[in-house]
Amino acid sequence: MLPFEEQILSDLLEDPHGGLVVLSSGLPLHSLVASLLLLHHSSAGALLLLSASDSQKPSILRSLQRLQDPNPNSSLPSELAGDLPGHQRAALYASGAAFFVTARVLVADLLVPRAPPGSISSLIILNAHRLSETSPEAFIARLLRRHSPRASVVALSDRPLPLSSGFSKPERILKSLYIKKLHLWPRFHVVVSADLEKTPPEVVDVRLPVTAAMKGVQSAALEAMGACLKELRRTNKVDVEDLTVENGLFKSFDEIVRRQLDPIWHTLGKKTKQLVNDLKTLRKLMDYLVRYDAVTFLKYLDTLRVSEGGRSVWIFAESSYKIFEFAKKRVYQVLRADGSKIIMDNKTTANKKRKVNDDNNKDKENEASCSDGGKALTNSGVMLEEVLEEAPKWKVLRELLEEIEEERKIVALREDELGVEDTRDDTGIVLVACKDERSCLQLEACITKGPHQVMREEWEKYLLGKAELHGLQKRSKKKNQDPKGFGILNGMVANGPFENTDPSSISKLENDALLAAASEISHLASEEICVGDSSGPCAIRGRSRKGRGRGRSKKTPGKGEVSVKRNKNPGDDKMIGKGYSSIEVQGTEKDAEHAADLQERPLPDATTDKAVLRRHSKDHGTSESTNAKPLPPVQFYAFESGKHILDVWKPSAIIVYHPDVAFVREIEVYKAENPSRKLKVYFLFYEDSTEVQKFEASIRRENAAFESLIRQKSLMMIPVDQDGRCIGLTSFIEPDVHGLQNSQTRKAGGRKMIEKEMQVIVDMREFMSSLPNVLHQKGMRIIPVTLEVGDYVLSPMICVERKSIMDLFQSFSSGRLYHQVETMVRYYRMPVLLIEFSHDKSFSFQSASDISDDVSPTSIISKLSLLILHFPRLRLVWSRSVHATAEIFASLKVNQDEPDETKAVRVGVPSEDGVIENDVRAENYNTSAVEFLRRLPGVTDSNYRALMDGCNSLAELVLLPIERLAELMGGQKSARVLKDFLDAKFPTLL
C-alpha cells in the first residue's frame, strides 16, 4: 500500500462510527476496501459491502488476494443471495464473515429481523455520491443504528462532481448515514502528490493536427451549439452561468439542464424541449468526430438526418450544412466523368475543373482508352471518387508500436553485448486504452489488416446499407409503373447535362452514384472469389462452380451499367472485399496487405456515359505491405468496462488513445506501487480540438468540485448526542410522554391516549424504491413479505398497486397492468392504483394543450380512462412525490383495521386443494367455469351473467334449446352462433 492509503485508513479507524471518504477519480478505491476487509475479524461481527457494482466486485477481490499473499488461505467475501432461505441467511450473519449484499435483501432482513442485534459490526457503502435521504442505503443505516448502535458505517466515493452539486449534499449524506466525519483526498493533496510524483512514469505527449475536414466539422458543430445555447438563454428559465460551450462538452451538462427544467417541463414549448435534445445530440457529435472513423461518422449523420430532420433546431442553423458537407468530403466526392466538380449554383462550370496530377491524368487516359473503344469520358457521366480519410491517430499508433518494438530490441542487444542478465519483470505487453469496445476492435483491425482495408470494409457496409434502404423504400411504394430512378441497383444512373444544376438534382445525382457503387459491390460479392493460391480450389458465391475467366468474358455490360475490375498481384493470395484472410496480431512480419488489392478500375467495355466509381489508392500502400516491421504484443482495454487491469497485464508501455483523467490516475498509482518497473506512457491528442479542451476542463472541474467540498466542510454542522454519535436527520422522533400528559390534563383527568401503531405490508420487490424508507420515517411499521396481489396492503380492504411514470407506460404496453388491476378487484373491496411522480419533475403527463378530445390508442390519458371505465371500483390516486404518498397512505388508513400479514400472503395463492382464500367470486361462482363460459363464441360481457342465472352448469347450458338461449342472450344471432358451436361435430381422422 502507498503511504497516503495508510493515512486514509488510519483516519477512518480513529472514529469508531466510520466516515465518508471522497477520492479523486482513478485513485485506488478498491484497494482501500480490500484493506478494510483484511483488517476485519469475524469475532467482531459480520462486515457487509453494499451498493458495489459488477465491475467493482472483481477488482476488490483481486486487490484482496494481492494483499493476502502471505496468507492465501484466508476466505474471500461471497455474495449473500436473496434466494437463500431465511434461517440460512441468519446463520451467515451470525458467522461474522464478510459478504456482498444488495439493499433489498438487507432491508428485509433488518426489518424481520433475521440479522440478530449486534451481529453486524461494519457496513461499507460504495458509490456514496448516489445516496440521498430517501435512498435504501439511508434506510439501512437507520435500521442498523437501532439494532447495532456500535456498528460503523463507512461510505466511499470517487466522484466528487455529483457530491458538490446541490445544496449541502455531503452534509445531508452524513446525517442520513449517522456519521460525522468527511475525509477529502484530492489529487492535489500534499501527501497524494508526494507519493505519486516520487517515481513518475516516462511520458510522451504526441499532439496531432486534425484534418481540414475534421476542423470544419468541429467548428460548425461548436457554432451550432452556441446558437442553440443562445436560443435557450432567451427562455429565462435556466441558470445562464451553466450555459457555456465548455460545460456542453460533458455528459453532466444534459443532467444540469434537465434538472433545472424538469419541474416546469410541461409548461415549456416544443422548441425549448427540442433545444435540450439538440444540445445532447451536438455533444455526441463532437465526441464521435474524434472517436470513430469517417464512414461511421457519416453514417451517424445520415441517421440524424432521418430521425431528427423534421423537428430538430440545430439542423436548420446556418452552420449545420457545413457539418454534412465536410463529413461527406472525408468519405467521397461526386465529380463529373472528366474530373470537374458539380457546383450548386447556375453559373457555368468551365473554370471549375478539378486539377489533378500527372499520374491521375495518365490513369484517366488509360481508363478512357480502355472504355468503349478508346473514347474519352465526356461530361455526361458521373464519377464517385472515394476519399476514405483515415484517422490521423491510426498511422501514428502504428509508428509508435514499431518504435516500441525497435527500442526493446535495441535494449535486448545491448544487454546481450554487455552480458547482463535480464532480471526485470518486463512482459513486453503494450496496452492501448480506448473509450469503448468498438474502438478497441477497430484499432485491432487497423493493426492486423491495415487502415485502408478497414476503411474499405466500412465503406462497403455503408454502400450496401444504402442499397438495402433503397430497396425497402421501393417495395413500400408498391407502384405499378417504374418509379423515377428505376434500375439504379442494377447499375443504371440517370444521364443528362449538368450545367445549371440545382441542389435538388445534385442530391439526386449523388444518391444515384452511391446506389450505383452499392450495386457494383453487391455484384462483386456474389461472384466467385478465390481464396488461397492459383492452384487451390475456388469458393463459389451466388452461382455454380465455373471458371473465373469464362464466367466473366461472356458478360457484356448494358447501357448505363457500372463495371469495375480489380487489379491483383500475381503472387498475392488475398482477395478483396469478403475474401480476405485474418492476420495474427503480436507483431509478425506479415502485415496487412491491403493497398495493392484495393485499386479498382472500369472494365474495357464500359461505355462513356456510365457512372464510374474511382477507388482511392495510396502511394505508400505497396511499400507498407512489403516493408512491414514487427510489432510488440498488444492488448486493448476499454474504459467503459470499468475494470482495473494494470496489475494483471503489467504492461511495459501504455498508449492512451483516448485521454481519460481516471485512467491517468490509475497509471500513476500503478507506477507508484511498482517503482522499479520501467513504464513509458504515450498520450495521443488532437491539437486544437474538443478532445484536448474536454480533458483539460475535466481536471479543472474536479479541482473546483474539491474546493467546493472543502468550503462546505469548513461550514458543516453535524448534530451529535451525548455519546458523540450523529443524531441524523429529523425523522421519526419518540413522543414526549410528559408533554403529552401535561397537554391533556383537561381531557379525562390527564389519561394518556393509547396510540395505535400503523402497519403497512410491503412487497419485497418494492424495497428498491424510496417509499418504504419514507413510510418508516413517518413512524409506520413496515412488514416485508412476498405479495401475489398488489404492492402495499394498508388494511383488509385496501390494496395499492404503485406505478412510477416509466413503469406505468411499460405496464400499459405489455398488458401487465390490466391483469394486476383485475386481481386486485377480485380480492379487495377498495383497489387503488397509485401513480407516483418524481419530486424534481413536472407533476403532469403532458400540457393541457396537447390533450385531445378523442380517444387515442397512443395517449396515456385515453388508456387510463378506458381502464377506469372497465374497472369502476378502481380508485386512481396521483402523488407528487414519495413524501406526498406517505401522507396519502396515512389518510387512507384512518378508521381502518390493520392488515393481517398471514392473510395478505395467502391472497391469490391457491392452497394444496386448489382453493383460493378471500376470493369473493369463488365463494358464489365456479371461477374456472365462468372464465370458460366467457370465452365461448356469442357470449359477451353483457349476456354472460344472464346465462349464469338461467342455468346451473355448463352441461345444462349445452342442452338448452335455441329459443331459450335467444331469450337469455338477448338475440337470435348470438344464440345461433353459440348453438352451432356447441352442436358442431368433432372432426374425425380419415
Side-chain angles (χ1 to χ4, degrees):
M1 291 183 63
L2 296 176
F4 79 89
E5 297 181 60
E6 297 178 355
Q7 183 65 36
I8 295 174
L9 287 176
S10 62
D11 292 345
L12 273 176
L13 297 176
E14 284 181 0
D15 190 355
H17 302 109
L20 172 61
V21 180
V22 183
L23 305 170
S24 288
S25 300
L27 292 186
L29 181 67
H30 56 282
S31 180
L32 289 175
V33 178
S35 302
L36 292 173
L37 290 172
L38 193 63
L39 296 174
H40 171 69
H41 197 271
S42 59
S43 60
L47 187 147
L48 304 178
L49 288 92
L50 199 63
S51 304
S53 62
D54 294 334
S55 60
Q56 288 175 336
K57 292 177 183 178
S59 301
I60 293 172
L61 295 177
R62 196 181 304 116
S63 299
L64 184 59
Q65 288 176 341
R66 183 165 51 89
L67 294 174
Q68 287 178 349
D69 280 342
N71 187 16
N73 295 326
S74 300
S75 60
L76 298 176
S78 59
E79 187 80 23
L80 192 62
D83 54 357
L84 288 175
H87 65 278
Q88 292 187 13
R89 292 209 298 270
L92 291 175
Y93 288 127
S95 65
F99 301 99
F100 290 102
V101 65
T102 60
R104 183 178 64 86
V105 174
L106 186 54
V107 166
D109 290 342
L110 290 174
L111 286 171
V112 172
R114 292 189 183 94
S119 61
I120 300 177
S121 64
S122 299
L123 181 66
I124 300 177
I125 303 175
L126 300 175
N127 302 312
H129 54 277
R130 301 175 182 172
L131 301 183
S132 63
E133 302 92 332
T134 58
S135 60
E137 289 81 3
F139 192 11
I140 290 171
R142 188 185 318 115
L143 295 174
L144 185 63
R145 183 171 180 255
R146 181 175 300 179
H147 286 82
S148 303
R150 297 183 180 180
S152 65
V153 178
V154 177
L156 301 105
S157 174
D158 57 354
R159 298 290 185 270
L161 282 173
L163 284 171
S164 62
S165 62
F167 179 73
S168 301
K169 187 173 182 180
E171 182 177 347
R172 290 185 279 114
I173 291 177
L174 289 174
K175 291 179 180 179
S176 62
L177 297 180
Y178 296 91
I179 51 182
K180 58 180 181 179
K181 290 292 184 67
L182 175 63
H183 307 280
L184 302 176
W185 289 88
R187 172 61 179 84
F188 56 81
H189 196 284
V190 177
V191 180
V192 179
S193 299
D195 293 339
L196 298 184
E197 296 174 3
K198 188 178 298 182
T199 56
E202 184 181 354
V203 178
V204 178
D205 194 353
V206 181
R207 300 291 177 116
L208 306 174
V210 296
T211 62
M214 292 177 65
K215 194 170 184 179
V217 172
Q218 177 181 292
S219 60
L222 289 174
E223 187 177 346
M225 178 176 283
C228 291
L229 290 174
K230 185 178 180 180
E231 290 290 332
L232 194 60
R233 290 191 189 100
R234 296 180 181 178
T235 60
N236 297 325
K237 297 179 180 180
V238 189
D239 189 4
V240 182
E241 295 181 358
D242 295 331
L243 296 183
T244 61
V245 176
E246 182 178 299
N247 289 337
L249 301 176
F250 295 92
K251 187 177 180 180
S252 59
F253 178 76
D254 308 329
E255 301 173 0
I256 292 172
V257 177
R258 286 301 298 263
R259 186 170 60 245
Q260 296 183 25
L261 294 177
D262 273 340
I264 55 174
W265 188 256
H266 63 289
T267 63
L268 300 177
K270 292 184 179 180
K271 184 177 181 181
T272 305
K273 295 178 180 179
Q274 187 59 42
L275 283 172
V276 177
N277 296 327
D278 287 349
L279 290 173
K280 181 179 180 181
T281 302
L282 290 171
R283 177 182 59 80
K284 288 184 178 180
L285 205 63
M286 289 184 288
D287 186 23
Y288 292 167
L289 175 65
V290 296
R291 190 192 301 187
Y292 298 132
D293 59 273
V295 179
T296 304
F297 184 75
L298 180 61
K299 190 185 301 182
Y300 176 67
L301 281 178
D302 289 344
T303 58
L304 288 182
R305 191 198 298 269
V306 175
S307 61
E308 301 185 4
R311 62 180 185 272
S312 182
V313 178
W314 71 272
I315 287 184
F316 296 99
E318 296 180 358
S319 59
S320 62
Y321 78 96
K322 297 180 183 178
I323 299 177
F324 292 92
E325 290 300 321
F326 282 117
K328 288 179 184 178
K329 289 180 180 179
R330 297 179 64 198
V331 181
Y332 64 87
Q333 286 184 350
V334 180
L335 306 174
R336 296 182 185 177
D338 59 351
S340 60
K341 294 183 180 180
I342 303 174
I343 59 176
M344 297 183 62
D345 54 6
N346 295 328
K347 298 179 181 180
T348 59
T349 57
N351 56 349
K352 300 291 183 179
K353 302 295 182 181
R354 177 176 176 271
K355 295 181 180 180
V356 293
N357 54 25
D358 296 337
D359 295 337
N360 289 338
N361 288 332
K362 291 179 181 178
D363 291 340
K364 289 201 300 179
E365 290 174 1
N366 295 334
E367 293 173 3
S369 62
C370 294
S371 61
D372 199 13
K375 295 181 180 180
L377 293 172
T378 63
N379 289 348
S380 59
V382 177
M383 181 166 56
L384 189 69
E385 182 185 30
E386 297 177 354
V387 179
L388 299 183
E389 178 183 278
E390 301 170 6
K393 285 187 179 181
W394 289 2
K395 181 181 178 181
V396 177
L397 176 64
R398 176 83 188 192
E399 294 174 353
L400 289 178
L401 292 175
E402 294 174 355
E403 178 185 340
I404 292 171
E405 181 65 17
E406 289 179 359
E407 290 180 357
R408 192 178 66 173
K409 287 185 177 180
I410 292 174
V411 172
L413 290 174
R414 190 177 302 168
E415 291 179 351
D416 291 341
E417 292 176 357
L418 297 177
V420 179
E421 296 183 359
D422 188 6
T423 58
R424 298 173 300 157
D425 185 13
D426 189 2
T427 59
I429 293 176
V430 178
L431 182 67
V432 179
C434 308
K435 277 189 177 181
D436 53 2
E437 193 69 27
R438 189 187 186 281
S439 299
C440 294
L441 294 175
Q442 192 172 58
L443 289 180
E444 184 178 2
C446 287
I447 295 175
T448 56
K449 304 174 186 177
H452 198 61
Q453 175 68 15
V454 173
M455 293 299 297
R456 289 286 314 136
E457 293 177 2
E458 294 291 338
W459 171 240
E460 290 180 2
K461 293 178 184 177
Y462 175 76
L463 291 178
L464 293 176
K466 284 274 188 182
E468 184 179 358
L469 180 62
H470 180 76
L472 292 175
Q473 292 175 351
K474 286 177 62 178
R475 287 194 294 270
S476 64
K477 290 180 181 179
K478 295 183 179 179
K479 292 184 178 179
N480 295 327
Q481 59 183 2
D482 294 341
K484 188 177 181 180
F486 176 76
I488 288 178
L489 291 182
N490 296 324
M492 302 291 294
V493 179
N495 299 318
F498 298 116
E499 301 291 341
N500 305 328
T501 307
D502 59 339
S504 60
S505 61
I506 290 177
S507 178
K508 178 68 168 57
L509 291 173
E510 179 182 333
N511 189 41
D512 292 351
L514 288 172
L515 293 174
S519 67
E520 173 188 331
I521 292 175
S522 62
H523 289 165
L524 289 173
S526 63
E527 293 175 354
E528 310 131 336
I529 297 180
C530 282
V531 180
D533 56 3
S534 58
S535 61
C538 292
I540 309 300
R541 297 190 182 187
R543 62 178 67 181
S544 61
R545 182 181 298 271
K546 294 182 180 180
R548 185 174 179 85
R550 183 178 59 183
R552 297 191 60 174
S553 61
K554 295 182 179 181
K555 182 179 179 181
T556 304
K559 184 178 180 180
E561 199 169 358
V562 178
S563 303
V564 173
K565 179 178 68 178
R566 298 173 183 252
N567 295 334
K568 186 176 182 299
N569 295 333
D572 194 4
D573 60 346
K574 294 182 176 60
M575 299 301 296
I576 320 167
K578 305 294 183 182
Y580 63 83
S581 60
S582 60
I583 305 173
E584 295 293 331
V585 199
Q586 313 300 340
T588 61
E589 296 194 4
K590 297 179 180 180
D591 190 17
E593 303 169 355
H594 51 280
D597 297 336
L598 298 172
Q599 299 175 356
E600 299 184 5
R601 297 179 181 178
L603 288 175
D605 50 358
T607 56
T608 59
D609 56 348
K610 301 166 186 162
V612 179
L613 174 62
R614 186 170 65 190
R615 299 298 167 93
H616 177 70
S617 60
K618 293 193 174 183
D619 297 335
H620 66 274
T622 54
S623 62
E624 187 176 339
S625 61
T626 56
N627 300 327
K629 296 181 181 179
L631 301 178
V634 181
Q635 291 285 353
F636 293 88
Y637 167 67
F639 298 145
E640 65 181 8
S641 64
K643 299 178 180 178
H644 301 275
I645 42 78
L646 295 179
D647 292 331
V648 179
W649 286 337
K650 299 179 181 179
S652 58
I654 300 175
I655 300 177
V656 184
Y657 191 83
H658 295 137
D660 183 76
V661 175
F663 187 67
V664 171
R665 308 273 169 71
E666 292 181 20
I667 295 174
E668 290 181 321
V669 172
Y670 169 73
K671 185 62 176 70
E673 292 176 346
N674 304 275
S676 61
R677 183 173 291 136
K678 290 186 178 180
L679 179 63
K680 196 170 184 179
V681 183
Y682 299 87
F683 287 94
L684 298 183
F685 287 99
Y686 283 121
E687 189 69 35
D688 298 331
S689 67
T690 56
E691 186 180 45
V692 178
Q693 185 179 359
K694 185 177 179 180
F695 180 75
E696 295 174 351
S698 61
I699 298 177
R700 292 195 298 268
R701 282 158 56 92
E702 186 184 81
N703 293 340
F706 269 109
E707 292 173 359
S708 175
L709 291 175
I710 291 171
R711 288 192 297 269
Q712 292 184 37
K713 183 180 178 180
S714 63
L715 304 174
M716 193 178 294
M717 296 182 64
I718 304 296
V720 296
D721 57 9
Q722 58 184 358
D723 296 329
R725 292 192 296 264
C726 177
I727 295 177
L729 296 170
T730 57
S731 56
F732 175 59
I733 302 176
E734 296 293 336
D736 187 3
V737 179
H738 299 286
L740 286 175
Q741 290 180 353
N742 292 331
S743 63
Q744 297 177 356
T745 52
R746 299 183 62 183
K747 295 180 181 180
R751 179 172 61 88
K752 180 182 178 181
M753 301 297 293
I754 300 176
E755 293 190 358
K756 186 179 179 181
E757 183 183 18
M758 290 186 178
Q759 297 181 2
V760 178
I761 298 176
V762 183
D763 186 37
M764 286 286 295
R765 294 176 288 269
E766 281 294 307
F767 281 102
M768 293 305 297
S769 66
S770 302
L771 184 54
N773 183 11
V774 178
L775 293 176
H776 189 267
Q777 286 182 351
K778 295 292 182 181
M780 299 183 186
R781 182 190 172 197
I782 306 299
I783 304 175
V785 295
T786 301
L787 295 177
E788 192 70 22
V789 178
D791 293 331
Y792 297 86
V793 179
L794 305 183
S795 72
M797 294 188 302
I798 302 176
C799 178
V800 179
E801 180 71 30
R802 173 187 164 273
K803 293 292 181 184
S804 61
I805 302 302
M806 184 179 298
D807 192 15
L808 181 68
F809 281 87
Q810 294 176 354
S811 299
F812 267 122
S813 301
S814 62
R816 181 164 49 96
L817 181 59
Y818 180 88
H819 175 70
Q820 290 171 339
V821 173
E822 187 180 27
T823 54
M824 285 197 303
V825 170
R826 174 181 295 185
Y827 298 110
Y828 290 94
R829 295 185 180 179
M830 295 179 61
V832 177
L833 175 61
L834 172 70
I835 301 176
E836 188 176 272
F837 290 77
S838 179
H839 69 280
D840 56 350
K841 294 188 177 181
S842 59
F843 188 47
S844 174
F845 281 125
Q846 54 192 126
S847 59
S849 59
D850 296 336
I851 300 177
S852 61
D853 297 333
D854 299 330
V855 175
S856 172
T858 59
S859 173
I860 188 66
I861 303 297
S862 300
K863 292 179 181 180
L864 285 172
S865 303
L866 293 175
L867 187 68
I868 295 298
L869 290 174
H870 195 76
F871 300 102
R873 287 199 294 117
L874 178 66
R875 301 293 183 264
L876 203 63
V877 177
W878 308 83
S879 176
R880 184 180 293 273
S881 63
V882 289
H883 297 281
T885 303
E887 298 292 339
I888 293 172
F889 280 9
S891 60
L892 289 176
K893 287 180 65 64
V894 174
N895 300 326
Q896 293 285 336
D897 296 333
E898 296 300 328
D900 189 355
E901 176 185 354
T902 57
K903 292 183 179 180
V905 173
R906 291 199 301 265
V907 169
V909 181
S911 63
E912 296 179 357
D913 300 333
V915 179
I916 301 178
E917 296 185 7
N918 297 334
D919 191 350
V920 180
R921 295 178 60 192
E923 295 176 358
N924 302 321
Y925 302 102
N926 184 354
T927 55
S928 300
V930 172
E931 295 297 330
F932 179 78
L933 173 65
R934 295 183 64 180
R935 284 166 174 80
L936 292 177
V939 180
T940 62
D941 292 337
S942 60
N943 59 22
Y944 82 95
R945 294 182 180 87
L947 287 173
M948 291 167 56
D949 296 335
C951 56
N952 297 323
S953 64
L954 291 173
E956 185 178 344
L957 174 67
V958 175
L959 300 176
L960 288 178
I962 185 66
E963 295 79 10
R964 179 60 177 165
L965 285 176
E967 181 183 349
L968 294 175
M969 300 179 71
Q972 188 73 23
K973 183 178 179 180
S974 57
R976 174 60 60 184
V977 172
L978 177 61
K979 190 64 176 177
D980 291 344
F981 174 79
L982 295 175
D983 295 343
K985 294 182 179 180
F986 190 80
T988 58
L989 297 177
L990 298 177

mmCIF file of all heavy atoms in Angstrom, residues 156 291 313 470 673 765 989:
data_model
loop_
_atom_site.group_PDB
_atom_site.id
_atom_site.type_symbol
_atom_site.label_atom_id
_atom_site.label_comp_id
_atom_site.label_asym_id
_atom_site.label_seq_id
_atom_site.Cartn_x
_atom_site.Cartn_y
_atom_site.Cartn_z
ATOM 1 N N LEU A 156 -17.795 5.399 0.681
ATOM 2 C CA LEU A 156 -16.688 5.790 -0.179
ATOM 3 C C LEU A 156 -17.215 6.200 -1.541
ATOM 4 O O LEU A 156 -18.203 5.646 -2.038
ATOM 5 C CB LEU A 156 -15.682 4.646 -0.347
ATOM 6 C CG LEU A 156 -15.031 4.099 0.931
ATOM 7 C CD1 LEU A 156 -15.640 2.756 1.288
ATOM 8 C CD2 LEU A 156 -13.533 3.949 0.763
ATOM 9 N N ARG A 291 -13.665 10.093 -32.096
ATOM 10 C CA ARG A 291 -13.623 8.709 -31.616
ATOM 11 C C ARG A 291 -13.731 7.696 -32.747
ATOM 12 O O ARG A 291 -13.038 6.673 -32.742
ATOM 13 C CB ARG A 291 -14.741 8.459 -30.611
ATOM 14 C CG ARG A 291 -14.611 7.128 -29.894
ATOM 15 C CD ARG A 291 -15.850 6.729 -29.122
ATOM 16 N NE ARG A 291 -16.230 7.695 -28.102
ATOM 17 C CZ ARG A 291 -17.194 7.477 -27.225
ATOM 18 N NH1 ARG A 291 -17.871 6.338 -27.248
ATOM 19 N NH2 ARG A 291 -17.499 8.391 -26.324
ATOM 20 N N VAL A 313 -33.774 21.614 -34.274
ATOM 21 C CA VAL A 313 -33.500 23.039 -34.435
ATOM 22 C C VAL A 313 -32.103 23.265 -35.005
ATOM 23 O O VAL A 313 -31.900 24.128 -35.868
ATOM 24 C CB VAL A 313 -33.661 23.776 -33.089
ATOM 25 C CG1 VAL A 313 -33.338 25.262 -33.242
ATOM 26 C CG2 VAL A 313 -35.073 23.594 -32.550
ATOM 27 N N HIS A 470 -32.752 1.602 -49.971
ATOM 28 C CA HIS A 470 -33.438 1.981 -51.206
ATOM 29 C C HIS A 470 -34.390 0.874 -51.650
ATOM 30 O O HIS A 470 -35.499 1.149 -52.130
ATOM 31 C CB HIS A 470 -32.413 2.269 -52.294
ATOM 32 C CG HIS A 470 -33.018 2.669 -53.606
ATOM 33 N ND1 HIS A 470 -33.551 3.917 -53.826
ATOM 34 C CD2 HIS A 470 -33.197 1.968 -54.758
ATOM 35 C CE1 HIS A 470 -34.023 3.984 -55.059
ATOM 36 N NE2 HIS A 470 -33.826 2.822 -55.651
ATOM 37 N N GLU A 673 3.158 2.086 -7.105
ATOM 38 C CA GLU A 673 3.205 0.797 -6.421
ATOM 39 C C GLU A 673 4.317 -0.109 -6.944
ATOM 40 O O GLU A 673 4.738 -1.033 -6.242
ATOM 41 C CB GLU A 673 1.859 0.076 -6.580
ATOM 42 C CG GLU A 673 0.718 0.744 -5.837
ATOM 43 C CD GLU A 673 -0.610 0.059 -6.088
ATOM 44 O OE1 GLU A 673 -0.683 -0.751 -7.039
ATOM 45 O OE2 GLU A 673 -1.573 0.334 -5.346
ATOM 46 N N ARG A 765 -40.332 -6.709 -3.524
ATOM 47 C CA ARG A 765 -39.793 -6.039 -4.709
ATOM 48 C C ARG A 765 -39.833 -4.523 -4.604
ATOM 49 O O ARG A 765 -39.186 -3.834 -5.394
ATOM 50 C CB ARG A 765 -40.560 -6.498 -5.957
ATOM 51 C CG ARG A 765 -40.356 -7.964 -6.301
ATOM 52 C CD ARG A 765 -41.214 -8.363 -7.493
ATOM 53 N NE ARG A 765 -42.617 -8.440 -7.134
ATOM 54 C CZ ARG A 765 -43.219 -9.542 -6.693
ATOM 55 N NH1 ARG A 765 -42.535 -10.663 -6.561
ATOM 56 N NH2 ARG A 765 -44.505 -9.539 -6.393
ATOM 57 N N LEU A 989 -60.516 -38.319 -38.062
ATOM 58 C CA LEU A 989 -59.403 -38.559 -38.973
ATOM 59 C C LEU A 989 -59.775 -39.654 -39.955
ATOM 60 O O LEU A 989 -60.267 -40.716 -39.575
ATOM 61 C CB LEU A 989 -58.157 -38.965 -38.189
ATOM 62 C CG LEU A 989 -57.614 -37.906 -37.231
ATOM 63 C CD1 LEU A 989 -56.433 -38.461 -36.458
ATOM 64 C CD2 LEU A 989 -57.208 -36.647 -37.983
#
